[in-house]
Each structure stands twice: as structure tokens, then as C-alpha cells.
């Protein structure tokens, strides 16, 4: 596996909008169609969308960025591994790449947050296994749960 996060350009836009969520997972996403998500991209100038590629093969899509008012607070509004590429380790490898990318950003990020549907147990397993923790107590009616990964590492002597 040789995973890369390629920023979306005119050249790979077609491959990005061809990334599809599996039918049984669509209900977990507010915007399951990549084309719809990208159509709204200009409204979020501090976020960048990426095609996730294994060598020459597009396998997924992810969007990442910091909030406009706080460059230390990052979030990931969308992650999709294509329906035919699921369960091959791409989701885990992509998240490791995402975390590495955010850790390397300047100025130093403090937190990476995301929302996850409360019934999306596969994604929750993935995130918690990578160190994300649920943030705050969900209200009864909430469809989505907040997760966050604290990126500050204290150096002790
Ligand atoms: C969640 C998602 C990104 C996972 O991607 P993936 O490439 O299938 O995941 P991986 O193959 O890397 O597997 C990651 C872990 O989840 C487990 N897993 C993946 N699919 C699973 C399934 N259908 N049932 C049970 N476990 C599953 C794997 O066993 C693995 O666990 P392990 O590493 O502890 O053994 C992918 O299913 C997806 O795109 N879902 C739809 C969109 C979505 O839910 N995005 C997240 C929004 S918060």
C-alpha cells in the first residue's frame, strides 16, 4: 500500500466525485455525495479536500482544515473510503496520514475534531483505536457524537 493525500484539482476532480459511499453507510453522512460536498468548498477557504490514492488507484476522499478563527483547532468534516475499497485497511491508513498531516501543520495544531453518527460503530472503532475520545456528553436527541484527538504532547524532563 502506498497511500497519498492528493489535493483536489481540475485533473483529479472526476476521480474524486466518483468516490461512493456504500448504500448501508449513506445514512451516516450529512453530505454523502462528494460532488455536493465539493460544490460547497468555496465557502470554506480554510479547508482542503483530498483524493486518497493508493499509487494510481483512487480509494477515498477526505476534507480537512482549521476553523477560520483558530488555526490550532482542526476538523475533518468528511472521510469516505470508496464502497469497493472498504475493509482493506485504507480507512486506518488514511486516518494515520490525516493525523500525521495535521500534526505537521504550522502553527502547531492543538486538536483534531470530527462528528460521527451515533450508530456508525465502524468509524467510532477506528477513531477511538487511534486515540480519539468522545468530547462532551451527547444530548439524547443528537444523531452525531463529537470526537477529538488532542495533539499537544507534553514533554517532561
Ligand atoms: C469508516 C470507513 C472510513 C472505514 O474504512 P475502511 O477502509 O473500511 O476501514 P479499514 O479497512 O481500515 O478498517 C478499520 C477498522 O474497522 C474495522 N471494520 C471496517 N469495516 C468493518 C465492518 N463492516 N464491520 C466491522 N468492522 C469493520 C476493521 O476490522 C478495522 O479494525 P481493526 O484495525 O481494529 O482490525 C469506511 O467504512 C467508510 O468510508 N464509511 C462510510 C463513510 C463514513 O462512515 N465515514 C466516517 C464518517 S464519521
Amino acid at each position: 500500500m502506498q497511500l497519498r493525500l492528493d489535493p483536489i484539482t481540475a485533473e483529479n476532480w472526476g476521480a474524486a466525485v466518483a468516490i461512493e459511499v456504500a448504500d448501508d453507510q449513506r445514512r451516516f453522512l450529512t453530505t454523502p455525495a462528494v460532488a455536493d460536498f465539493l460544490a460547497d468548498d468555496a465557502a470554506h477557504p480554510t479547508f482542503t479536500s483530498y483524493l486518497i490514492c493508493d499509487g494510481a488507484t483512487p480509494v477515498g476522499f477526505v476534507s480537512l482544515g482549521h476553523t477560520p478563527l483558530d488555526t490550532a483547532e482542526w476538523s475533518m468534516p468528511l472521510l469516505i473510503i470508496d464502497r469497493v475499497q472498504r475493509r482493506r485497511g485504507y480507512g486506518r491508513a488514511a486516518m494515520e496520514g490525516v493525523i500525521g498531516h495535521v500534526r505537521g501543520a504550522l502553527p502547531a495544531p492543538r486538536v483534531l475534531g470530527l462528528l460521527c453518527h451515533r450508530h456508525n460503530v465502524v468509524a467510532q472503532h477506528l477513531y477511538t483505536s487511534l486515540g480519539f475520545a468522545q468530547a462532551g456528553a451527547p444530548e439524547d436527541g443528537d444523531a452525531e457524537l463529537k470526537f477529538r484527538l488532542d495533539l499537544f504532547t507534553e514533554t517532561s524532563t
Side-chain angles (χ1 to χ4, degrees), residues 1 19-22 24-26 28-29 59-61 76-83 85-95 114-117 120-127 129 144-145 147:
M1 189 188 299
I19 298 293
E20 284 189 326
V21 187
D24 61 331
Q25 294 178 310
R26 289 181 69 84
F28 297 144
L29 302 180
V59 299
F61 176 87
M76 188 187 79
L78 186 60
L79 168 70
I80 298 172
I81 297 300
D82 188 73
R83 57 195 303 158
Q85 302 289 356
R86 290 186 301 168
R87 301 213 70 169
R88 297 178 180 176
Y90 286 131
R92 181 172 294 283
M95 280 308 299
L114 56 89
L115 293 172
C116 189
H117 194 282
N120 193 352
V121 290
V122 168
Q124 287 175 39
H125 162 76
L126 174 61
Y127 299 141
S129 72
E144 292 184 310
L145 308 177
F147 285 83

Side-chain angles (χ1 to χ4, degrees), residues 8-36:
I8 304 297
T9 62
E11 283 70 40
N12 64 12
W13 189 90
V17 299
I19 298 293
E20 284 189 326
V21 187
D23 288 342
D24 61 331
Q25 294 178 310
R26 289 181 69 84
R27 69 193 176 102
F28 297 144
L29 302 180
T30 313
T31 312
V34 170
D36 292 341

